[in-house]
Amino acid sequence: MTDIGIVGAGAAAAAATYLVDGAVPDASITVLEKSGGLCGRAATRRRDDVTYDYGANYLKDDDDRVVDLVSAFDDGLVEVAGDIYAFDRTGSVSEGRDADERKWTYRTGLTRLAKHLFGATDATVHRRTRVEGIARAGDAWTVTDAAGERWGPFDVLLLNPPAPQTAALLETADWESEARADLLSATRDVDYRSVWTAVLGYPFELDRPYYALVNTDKGHPVGWVAREECKPGHVPDGESVLVVQANHEWSVERYDADPAENVAELAGHAASLLDDGRLSDPTWTDHQGWRYALPESGLRRGARTAAEDAGLYVLGDWVEGEARLHAAVRNGLDTGERVVYAL
Ligand SMILES: Cc1cc2nc3c(=O)[nH]c(=O)nc-3n(C[C@H](O)[C@H](O)[C@H](O)COP(=O)(O)OP(=O)(O)OC[C@H]3O[C@@H](n4cnc5c(N)ncnc54)[C@H](O)[C@@H]3O)c2cc1C
Protein backbone atom coordinates (compact mmCIF):
# COMPACT_ATOMS: atom_id res chain seq x y z
CA MET A 1 0.00 0.00 0.00
CA THR A 2 1.29 3.45 -0.96
CA ASP A 3 -0.16 6.34 1.03
CA ILE A 4 -0.51 9.59 -0.85
CA GLY A 5 -1.65 12.86 0.73
CA ILE A 6 -2.88 15.81 -1.34
CA VAL A 7 -3.47 19.29 0.05
CA GLY A 8 -6.13 21.13 -1.98
CA ALA A 9 -8.80 19.81 -4.36
CA GLY A 10 -8.24 22.16 -7.31
CA ALA A 11 -8.29 21.03 -10.93
CA ALA A 12 -4.58 20.14 -10.85
CA ALA A 13 -5.08 17.94 -7.79
CA ALA A 14 -8.12 16.29 -9.41
CA ALA A 15 -6.15 15.46 -12.57
CA ALA A 16 -3.17 14.12 -10.58
CA THR A 17 -5.48 12.02 -8.39
CA TYR A 18 -7.17 10.57 -11.46
CA LEU A 19 -3.87 9.67 -13.10
CA VAL A 20 -2.22 8.16 -10.01
CA ASP A 21 -5.32 6.24 -8.95
CA GLY A 22 -5.51 4.64 -12.41
CA ALA A 23 -1.83 3.73 -12.57
CA VAL A 24 -1.08 2.63 -8.99
CA PRO A 25 -3.76 0.12 -7.95
CA ASP A 26 -2.56 -0.10 -4.34
CA ALA A 27 -2.45 3.68 -3.81
CA SER A 28 -4.52 5.06 -0.95
CA ILE A 29 -5.12 8.74 -1.73
CA THR A 30 -6.33 11.23 0.88
CA VAL A 31 -7.28 14.75 -0.27
CA LEU A 32 -7.66 17.57 2.26
CA GLU A 33 -9.55 20.65 1.00
CA LYS A 34 -10.10 23.77 3.09
CA SER A 35 -13.34 24.89 1.40
CA GLY A 36 -16.72 23.20 1.12
CA GLY A 37 -16.36 22.63 -2.64
CA LEU A 38 -14.14 21.05 -5.28
CA CYS A 39 -12.20 22.61 -8.18
CA GLY A 40 -10.77 25.66 -6.37
CA ARG A 41 -10.69 28.78 -8.53
CA ALA A 42 -12.77 27.04 -11.21
CA ALA A 43 -15.74 27.81 -8.96
CA THR A 44 -19.49 27.53 -9.50
CA ARG A 45 -22.48 28.72 -7.49
CA ARG A 46 -26.19 28.17 -7.92
CA ARG A 47 -29.06 30.53 -7.13
CA ASP A 48 -32.61 29.32 -7.77
CA ASP A 49 -32.51 28.13 -11.42
CA VAL A 50 -29.29 29.99 -12.26
CA THR A 51 -25.80 28.44 -12.39
CA TYR A 52 -22.74 30.67 -12.72
CA ASP A 53 -18.99 30.21 -12.89
CA TYR A 54 -17.61 33.08 -10.84
CA GLY A 55 -13.87 32.23 -10.95
CA ALA A 56 -12.53 30.68 -14.16
CA ASN A 57 -15.00 31.36 -16.95
CA TYR A 58 -14.36 28.35 -19.13
CA LEU A 59 -11.90 25.63 -20.11
CA LYS A 60 -10.05 26.20 -23.39
CA ASP A 61 -9.41 23.29 -25.82
CA ASP A 62 -5.77 24.24 -26.01
CA ASP A 63 -3.98 21.06 -25.12
CA ASP A 64 -4.43 17.59 -26.66
CA ARG A 65 -4.00 15.67 -23.41
CA VAL A 66 -6.49 17.88 -21.62
CA VAL A 67 -8.94 17.60 -24.52
CA ASP A 68 -8.64 13.79 -24.40
CA LEU A 69 -9.23 13.80 -20.66
CA VAL A 70 -12.23 16.10 -20.86
CA SER A 71 -13.67 14.10 -23.76
CA ALA A 72 -13.66 11.06 -21.49
CA PHE A 73 -15.77 13.03 -19.02
CA ASP A 74 -18.23 14.70 -21.37
CA ASP A 75 -21.37 14.03 -19.36
CA GLY A 76 -22.91 17.50 -19.13
CA LEU A 77 -20.07 19.15 -21.09
CA VAL A 78 -21.28 22.18 -23.08
CA GLU A 79 -19.70 24.70 -25.42
CA VAL A 80 -19.96 28.38 -24.61
CA ALA A 81 -21.73 30.11 -27.52
CA GLY A 82 -20.38 33.36 -28.93
CA ASP A 83 -17.12 35.17 -29.47
CA ILE A 84 -15.02 37.41 -27.28
CA TYR A 85 -14.97 41.06 -28.29
CA ALA A 86 -12.48 43.66 -27.07
CA PHE A 87 -12.79 47.07 -25.40
CA ASP A 88 -10.24 49.74 -24.67
CA ARG A 89 -9.62 52.19 -21.82
CA THR A 90 -12.35 54.49 -23.16
CA GLY A 91 -14.92 51.68 -23.16
CA SER A 92 -15.09 51.49 -26.95
CA VAL A 93 -16.05 47.92 -28.04
CA SER A 94 -14.73 46.21 -31.18
CA GLU A 95 -14.75 42.73 -32.69
CA GLY A 96 -11.94 40.96 -30.94
CA ARG A 97 -10.12 37.75 -30.51
CA ASP A 98 -9.81 34.59 -32.56
CA ALA A 99 -13.23 32.96 -32.84
CA ASP A 100 -11.92 29.44 -33.53
CA GLU A 101 -11.16 28.20 -30.03
CA ARG A 102 -13.73 26.06 -28.27
CA LYS A 103 -14.69 27.19 -24.80
CA TRP A 104 -16.10 24.56 -22.47
CA THR A 105 -17.96 24.38 -19.20
CA TYR A 106 -20.53 21.95 -17.82
CA ARG A 107 -24.28 22.43 -17.55
CA THR A 108 -23.79 22.31 -13.78
CA GLY A 109 -20.70 24.52 -13.97
CA LEU A 110 -16.93 24.08 -14.12
CA THR A 111 -16.73 22.38 -10.73
CA ARG A 112 -18.20 19.31 -12.47
CA LEU A 113 -14.75 18.68 -13.95
CA ALA A 114 -13.20 17.96 -10.54
CA LYS A 115 -16.31 16.08 -9.43
CA HIS A 116 -15.99 13.82 -12.50
CA LEU A 117 -12.27 13.24 -11.95
CA PHE A 118 -12.35 12.58 -8.19
CA GLY A 119 -15.54 10.56 -8.64
CA ALA A 120 -13.75 8.15 -10.97
CA THR A 121 -11.20 7.28 -8.25
CA ASP A 122 -11.10 5.60 -4.84
CA ALA A 123 -9.61 8.75 -3.29
CA THR A 124 -11.14 10.05 -0.06
CA VAL A 125 -11.77 13.79 -0.16
CA HIS A 126 -12.17 15.59 3.17
CA ARG A 127 -13.71 19.03 2.70
CA ARG A 128 -13.58 21.90 5.20
CA THR A 129 -10.16 20.65 6.28
CA ARG A 130 -7.57 23.41 6.20
CA VAL A 131 -4.00 22.17 6.40
CA GLU A 132 -1.82 24.42 8.54
CA GLY A 133 1.42 22.51 8.78
CA ILE A 134 3.48 19.82 7.11
CA ALA A 135 6.29 17.80 8.64
CA ARG A 136 8.88 15.27 7.62
CA ALA A 137 8.65 12.10 9.71
CA GLY A 138 11.50 9.74 8.82
CA ASP A 139 11.00 8.96 5.13
CA ALA A 140 7.37 10.02 5.20
CA TRP A 141 5.24 13.16 5.52
CA THR A 142 2.53 14.17 7.94
CA VAL A 143 0.22 17.17 7.85
CA THR A 144 -1.74 18.92 10.58
CA ASP A 145 -5.09 20.60 10.02
CA ALA A 146 -6.60 23.68 11.67
CA ALA A 147 -8.36 21.52 14.27
CA GLY A 148 -5.00 20.06 15.30
CA GLU A 149 -5.67 16.67 13.75
CA ARG A 150 -2.65 14.96 12.27
CA TRP A 151 -2.93 13.12 8.92
CA GLY A 152 -0.54 10.55 7.44
CA PRO A 153 2.13 9.29 7.38
CA PHE A 154 2.19 9.69 3.61
CA ASP A 155 4.87 8.24 1.34
CA VAL A 156 4.18 11.10 -1.06
CA LEU A 157 2.69 14.54 -0.39
CA LEU A 158 1.31 16.86 -3.08
CA LEU A 159 0.68 20.57 -2.44
CA ASN A 160 -1.90 22.23 -4.74
CA PRO A 161 -2.66 25.62 -3.08
CA PRO A 162 -1.64 28.85 -4.86
CA ALA A 163 2.06 29.72 -4.42
CA PRO A 164 1.73 32.06 -1.37
CA GLN A 165 -0.35 29.46 0.48
CA THR A 166 2.03 26.67 -0.51
CA ALA A 167 4.94 28.84 0.69
CA ALA A 168 3.18 29.24 4.07
CA LEU A 169 2.98 25.45 4.35
CA LEU A 170 6.61 24.97 3.32
CA GLU A 171 7.61 27.46 6.02
CA THR A 172 6.10 25.16 8.66
CA ALA A 173 7.99 22.07 7.48
CA ASP A 174 10.55 21.02 10.06
CA TRP A 175 12.69 19.72 7.23
CA GLU A 176 15.93 21.62 7.16
CA SER A 177 17.42 20.92 3.75
CA GLU A 178 18.63 22.64 0.61
CA ALA A 179 15.66 21.13 -1.23
CA ARG A 180 13.19 22.90 1.05
CA ALA A 181 15.09 26.21 0.93
CA ASP A 182 15.23 26.11 -2.88
CA LEU A 183 11.58 25.25 -3.32
CA LEU A 184 10.48 27.80 -0.72
CA SER A 185 12.41 30.69 -2.27
CA ALA A 186 11.21 29.83 -5.81
CA THR A 187 7.62 29.53 -4.57
CA ARG A 188 7.85 32.94 -2.87
CA ASP A 189 9.00 34.43 -6.18
CA VAL A 190 5.67 33.75 -7.91
CA ASP A 191 3.56 36.95 -7.96
CA TYR A 192 -0.20 37.09 -8.42
CA ARG A 193 -2.81 39.38 -9.90
CA SER A 194 -5.97 39.93 -7.84
CA VAL A 195 -9.48 39.97 -9.28
CA TRP A 196 -12.65 41.31 -7.61
CA THR A 197 -15.72 39.75 -9.24
CA ALA A 198 -19.33 40.96 -9.28
CA VAL A 199 -22.16 38.73 -10.52
CA LEU A 200 -25.25 40.63 -11.67
CA GLY A 201 -28.68 39.11 -12.35
CA TYR A 202 -31.44 40.70 -14.50
CA PRO A 203 -35.05 39.69 -15.30
CA PHE A 204 -34.67 40.37 -19.02
CA GLU A 205 -32.67 39.06 -21.97
CA LEU A 206 -29.81 40.84 -23.70
CA ASP A 207 -29.27 40.62 -27.43
CA ARG A 208 -25.56 40.96 -28.17
CA PRO A 209 -23.32 39.34 -30.82
CA TYR A 210 -20.67 38.35 -28.25
CA TYR A 211 -20.26 36.10 -25.23
CA ALA A 212 -17.76 38.34 -23.46
CA LEU A 213 -15.79 41.57 -23.59
CA VAL A 214 -12.12 41.73 -22.64
CA ASN A 215 -10.11 44.88 -21.99
CA THR A 216 -7.07 44.64 -24.21
CA ASP A 217 -5.10 47.76 -23.23
CA LYS A 218 -5.37 47.13 -19.44
CA GLY A 219 -6.43 50.74 -18.97
CA HIS A 220 -10.06 50.18 -17.95
CA PRO A 221 -11.09 49.39 -14.32
CA VAL A 222 -12.96 46.36 -15.70
CA GLY A 223 -10.92 43.56 -17.22
CA TRP A 224 -13.70 41.24 -18.35
CA VAL A 225 -17.50 41.08 -18.70
CA ALA A 226 -19.14 37.77 -19.62
CA ARG A 227 -22.73 36.74 -20.33
CA GLU A 228 -23.44 33.58 -18.38
CA GLU A 229 -26.57 32.91 -20.50
CA CYS A 230 -24.24 31.92 -23.38
CA LYS A 231 -23.55 28.71 -21.42
CA PRO A 232 -26.25 26.11 -22.08
CA GLY A 233 -28.20 25.26 -18.93
CA HIS A 234 -26.89 28.17 -16.83
CA VAL A 235 -29.56 30.87 -17.12
CA PRO A 236 -33.33 30.39 -17.68
CA ASP A 237 -34.93 32.00 -20.75
CA GLY A 238 -35.96 35.58 -20.15
CA GLU A 239 -33.05 36.33 -17.78
CA SER A 240 -29.45 37.53 -18.04
CA VAL A 241 -26.46 37.15 -15.75
CA LEU A 242 -23.26 39.16 -16.12
CA VAL A 243 -19.94 38.20 -14.55
CA VAL A 244 -17.85 41.37 -14.22
CA GLN A 245 -14.19 41.10 -13.23
CA ALA A 246 -12.31 44.22 -12.16
CA ASN A 247 -8.67 44.66 -13.15
CA HIS A 248 -5.77 44.06 -10.75
CA GLU A 249 -5.23 47.67 -9.64
CA TRP A 250 -8.93 48.28 -8.95
CA SER A 251 -9.23 44.92 -7.18
CA VAL A 252 -6.28 45.58 -4.87
CA GLU A 253 -7.46 49.11 -4.05
CA ARG A 254 -11.07 48.05 -3.38
CA TYR A 255 -10.43 44.59 -1.96
CA ASP A 256 -11.68 45.42 1.55
CA ALA A 257 -14.15 48.15 0.56
CA ASP A 258 -17.91 47.84 1.10
CA PRO A 259 -18.97 45.01 -1.28
CA ALA A 260 -22.28 46.76 -2.08
CA GLU A 261 -20.39 49.85 -3.27
CA ASN A 262 -18.00 47.73 -5.32
CA VAL A 263 -20.88 45.85 -6.94
CA ALA A 264 -22.70 49.12 -7.72
CA GLU A 265 -19.59 50.59 -9.34
CA LEU A 266 -18.98 47.50 -11.46
CA ALA A 267 -22.67 47.39 -12.47
CA GLY A 268 -22.32 50.99 -13.64
CA HIS A 269 -19.30 50.04 -15.75
CA ALA A 270 -21.23 47.08 -17.21
CA ALA A 271 -24.13 49.38 -18.14
CA SER A 272 -21.80 51.72 -19.90
CA LEU A 273 -19.76 49.01 -21.70
CA LEU A 274 -22.89 47.20 -22.92
CA ASP A 275 -24.62 50.53 -23.56
CA ASP A 276 -27.78 49.69 -21.62
CA GLY A 277 -28.73 51.83 -18.58
CA ARG A 278 -30.89 49.05 -17.11
CA LEU A 279 -27.74 47.07 -16.29
CA SER A 280 -26.75 49.46 -13.51
CA ASP A 281 -29.71 48.15 -11.49
CA PRO A 282 -29.49 44.33 -11.16
CA THR A 283 -32.26 42.49 -9.30
CA TRP A 284 -29.78 40.24 -7.51
CA THR A 285 -26.01 40.24 -7.09
CA ASP A 286 -23.16 38.16 -5.77
CA HIS A 287 -19.46 38.88 -5.39
CA GLN A 288 -16.10 37.31 -4.65
CA GLY A 289 -12.63 38.70 -4.05
CA TRP A 290 -9.80 36.55 -5.41
CA ARG A 291 -6.58 37.74 -3.79
CA TYR A 292 -4.50 35.07 -5.52
CA ALA A 293 -6.40 34.94 -8.80
CA LEU A 294 -3.83 34.68 -11.56
CA PRO A 295 -0.14 33.77 -11.19
CA GLU A 296 2.06 36.07 -13.24
CA SER A 297 4.97 33.68 -13.64
CA GLY A 298 5.89 30.04 -13.13
CA LEU A 299 8.03 28.11 -10.70
CA ARG A 300 11.74 28.55 -11.45
CA ARG A 301 13.06 25.59 -13.43
CA GLY A 302 14.72 22.93 -11.34
CA ALA A 303 13.39 24.24 -8.02
CA ARG A 304 11.12 21.26 -7.41
CA THR A 305 13.44 18.38 -8.40
CA ALA A 306 15.20 17.82 -5.06
CA ALA A 307 11.93 18.08 -3.10
CA GLU A 308 10.36 15.51 -5.42
CA ASP A 309 13.24 13.14 -4.65
CA ALA A 310 12.04 13.36 -1.04
CA GLY A 311 8.42 12.68 -2.05
CA LEU A 312 7.17 16.28 -1.88
CA TYR A 313 5.46 17.68 -5.01
CA VAL A 314 3.92 21.06 -5.81
CA LEU A 315 1.33 21.36 -8.56
CA GLY A 316 -1.04 23.86 -10.12
CA ASP A 317 -1.26 26.64 -12.71
CA TRP A 318 1.55 28.55 -10.96
CA VAL A 319 3.93 25.61 -11.29
CA GLU A 320 3.14 25.52 -15.02
CA GLY A 321 3.44 29.31 -15.30
CA GLU A 322 0.10 29.82 -17.05
CA ALA A 323 -2.95 31.21 -15.25
CA ARG A 324 -5.37 28.92 -17.04
CA LEU A 325 -7.53 25.98 -16.10
CA HIS A 326 -6.23 23.76 -18.89
CA ALA A 327 -2.66 24.52 -17.72
CA ALA A 328 -3.57 23.45 -14.18
CA VAL A 329 -5.08 20.21 -15.48
CA ARG A 330 -2.05 19.54 -17.68
CA ASN A 331 0.27 20.21 -14.74
CA GLY A 332 -1.77 17.80 -12.61
CA LEU A 333 -1.39 15.08 -15.25
CA ASP A 334 2.37 15.71 -15.58
CA THR A 335 2.85 15.73 -11.82
CA GLY A 336 0.80 12.55 -11.45
CA GLU A 337 3.00 10.88 -14.06
CA ARG A 338 6.17 11.79 -12.19
CA VAL A 339 4.67 10.44 -8.96
CA VAL A 340 3.81 7.15 -10.71
CA TYR A 341 7.29 6.94 -12.20
CA ALA A 342 8.92 7.58 -8.81
CA LEU A 343 6.81 4.88 -7.16
C1 LIG B 1 -11.45 35.41 -11.36
C2 LIG B 1 -10.73 34.33 -12.13
C3 LIG B 1 -10.96 34.19 -13.49
C4 LIG B 1 -10.32 33.19 -14.22
N1 LIG B 1 -10.63 33.01 -15.53
C5 LIG B 1 -10.13 31.95 -16.20
C6 LIG B 1 -10.60 31.62 -17.51
O1 LIG B 1 -11.50 32.25 -18.05
N2 LIG B 1 -10.03 30.57 -18.16
C7 LIG B 1 -9.07 29.80 -17.57
O2 LIG B 1 -8.59 28.86 -18.19
N3 LIG B 1 -8.64 30.06 -16.30
C8 LIG B 1 -9.15 31.12 -15.61
N4 LIG B 1 -8.75 31.36 -14.33
C9 LIG B 1 -7.64 30.57 -13.75
C10 LIG B 1 -8.09 29.17 -13.27
O3 LIG B 1 -9.17 29.30 -12.38
C11 LIG B 1 -6.90 28.53 -12.57
O4 LIG B 1 -5.78 28.52 -13.44
C12 LIG B 1 -7.15 27.09 -12.13
O5 LIG B 1 -8.43 26.92 -11.60
C13 LIG B 1 -6.08 26.74 -11.10
O6 LIG B 1 -6.25 25.43 -10.62
P1 LIG B 1 -5.23 24.86 -9.53
O7 LIG B 1 -5.58 23.44 -9.31
O8 LIG B 1 -3.85 25.18 -9.97
O9 LIG B 1 -5.44 25.72 -8.19
P2 LIG B 1 -6.72 26.13 -7.33
O10 LIG B 1 -7.94 26.12 -8.17
O11 LIG B 1 -6.37 27.40 -6.65
O12 LIG B 1 -6.86 24.97 -6.25
C14 LIG B 1 -6.16 24.98 -5.03
C15 LIG B 1 -7.03 24.38 -3.96
O13 LIG B 1 -6.30 24.35 -2.73
C16 LIG B 1 -7.18 24.67 -1.67
N5 LIG B 1 -6.36 25.13 -0.53
C17 LIG B 1 -5.63 26.27 -0.43
N6 LIG B 1 -4.99 26.32 0.76
C18 LIG B 1 -5.33 25.18 1.40
C19 LIG B 1 -4.99 24.65 2.69
N7 LIG B 1 -4.15 25.28 3.52
N8 LIG B 1 -5.53 23.45 3.06
C20 LIG B 1 -6.37 22.77 2.23
N9 LIG B 1 -6.73 23.25 1.01
C21 LIG B 1 -6.21 24.42 0.60
C22 LIG B 1 -8.07 25.76 -2.27
O14 LIG B 1 -9.27 25.93 -1.53
C23 LIG B 1 -8.29 25.20 -3.67
O15 LIG B 1 -9.43 24.36 -3.73
C24 LIG B 1 -9.40 32.34 -13.57
C25 LIG B 1 -9.18 32.47 -12.19
C26 LIG B 1 -9.84 33.46 -11.48
C27 LIG B 1 -9.64 33.55 -10.00
Side-chain angles (χ1 to χ4, degrees), residues 148-168:
E149 189 174 341
R150 182 162 318 176
W151 300 78
F154 300 116
D155 303 298
V156 174
L157 181 63
L158 278 66
L159 305 179
N160 176 220
Q165 294 162 341
T166 289

Side-chain angles (χ1 to χ4, degrees), residues 280-299:
S280 57
D281 189 22
T283 48
W284 63 266
T285 69
D286 194 1
H287 63 272
Q288 178 74 40
W290 299 97
R291 197 177 295 282
Y292 306 123
L294 307 168
E296 291 201 279
S297 56
L299 186 71

Side-chain angles (χ1 to χ4, degrees), residues 8 10-12 33-34 40-41 55-58 131 160-161 316-317 324-325 328:
E33 164 58 46
K34 74 172 180 181
R41 280 170 282 150
N57 300 282
Y58 57 84
V131 172
N160 176 220
D317 59 350
R324 287 285 168 257
L325 183 53

Side-chain angles (χ1 to χ4, degrees), residues 196-263:
W196 206 94
T197 299
V199 183
L200 314 170
Y202 306 95
F204 51 81
E205 289 186 5
L206 285 170
D207 183 19
R208 293 291 183 283
Y210 48 78
Y211 150 59
L213 300 174
V214 64
N215 177 220
T216 40
D217 63 10
K218 311 276 179 229
H220 197 283
V222 170
W224 171 266
V225 186
R227 300 171 54 226
E228 205 61 23
E229 59 270 23
C230 295
K231 297 175 175 176
H234 280 221
V235 181
D237 288 348
E239 297 180 33
S240 313
V241 175
L242 296 181
V243 174
V244 185
Q245 293 171 353
N247 77 7
H248 172 70
E249 289 71 22
W250 192 99
S251 300
V252 169
E253 196 186 316
R254 307 295 301 267
Y255 201 86
D256 296 317
D258 177 5
E261 284 177 20
N262 282 355
V263 167

Side-chain angles (χ1 to χ4, degrees), residues 26-301:
D26 78 337
S28 165
I29 305 178
T30 304
V31 183
L32 305 172
E33 164 58 46
K34 74 172 180 181
S35 75
L38 303 178
C39 221
R41 280 170 282 150
T44 308
R45 280 188 191 135
R46 262 164 288 284
R47 186 187 190 279
D48 300 329
D49 293 339
V50 176
T51 297
Y52 50 96
D53 297 313
Y54 63 99
N57 300 282
Y58 57 84
L59 175 74
K60 210 159 113 170
D61 70 339
D62 210 29
D63 183 288
D64 288 346
R65 290 184 75 199
V66 177
V67 170
D68 285 349
L69 181 72
V70 171
S71 305
F73 291 100
D74 62 353
D75 187 17
L77 190 70
V78 289
E79 252 186 71
V80 184
D83 295 336
I84 297 170
Y85 280 27
F87 64 96
D88 64 15
R89 64 183 62 234
T90 69
S92 167
V93 173
S94 55
E95 261 185 72
R97 289 199 317 213
D98 181 7
D100 288 344
E101 68 179 27
R102 278 181 299 174
K103 303 180 277 297
W104 282 317
T105 182
Y106 287 87
R107 276 191 173 272
T108 50
L110 278 171
T111 51
R112 171 57 52 193
L113 177 61
K115 289 175 188 162
H116 271 321
L117 291 170
F118 283 123
T121 73
D122 293 327
T124 315
V125 183
H126 300 267
R127 305 181 198 211
R128 297 185 187 81
T129 307
R130 176 194 291 269
V131 172
E132 291 199 332
I134 67 174
R136 185 87 173 134
D139 281 345
W141 294 92
T142 60
V143 310
T144 308
D145 69 23
E149 189 174 341
R150 182 162 318 176
W151 300 78
F154 300 116
D155 303 298
V156 174
L157 181 63
L158 278 66
L159 305 179
N160 176 220
Q165 294 162 341
T166 289
L169 292 177
L170 290 171
E171 277 161 17
T172 67
D174 57 349
W175 177 45
E176 289 315 321
S177 64
E178 225 172 278
R180 170 183 173 270
D182 257 13
L183 181 58
L184 179 55
S185 87
T187 301
R188 282 185 183 138
D189 284 347
V190 179
D191 289 328
Y192 275 74
R193 296 182 75 76
S194 298
V195 173
W196 206 94
T197 299
V199 183
L200 314 170
Y202 306 95
F204 51 81
E205 289 186 5
L206 285 170
D207 183 19
R208 293 291 183 283
Y210 48 78
Y211 150 59
L213 300 174
V214 64
N215 177 220
T216 40
D217 63 10
K218 311 276 179 229
H220 197 283
V222 170
W224 171 266
V225 186
R227 300 171 54 226
E228 205 61 23
E229 59 270 23
C230 295
K231 297 175 175 176
H234 280 221
V235 181
D237 288 348
E239 297 180 33
S240 313
V241 175
L242 296 181
V243 174
V244 185
Q245 293 171 353
N247 77 7
H248 172 70
E249 289 71 22
W250 192 99
S251 300
V252 169
E253 196 186 316
R254 307 295 301 267
Y255 201 86
D256 296 317
D258 177 5
E261 284 177 20
N262 282 355
V263 167
E265 193 172 322
L266 294 178
H269 283 305
S272 149
L273 284 168
L274 279 80
D275 195 21
D276 185 334
R278 296 175 300 168
L279 299 178
S280 57
D281 189 22
T283 48
W284 63 266
T285 69
D286 194 1
H287 63 272
Q288 178 74 40
W290 299 97
R291 197 177 295 282
Y292 306 123
L294 307 168
E296 291 201 279
S297 56
L299 186 71
R300 198 167 63 230
R301 276 176 90 84

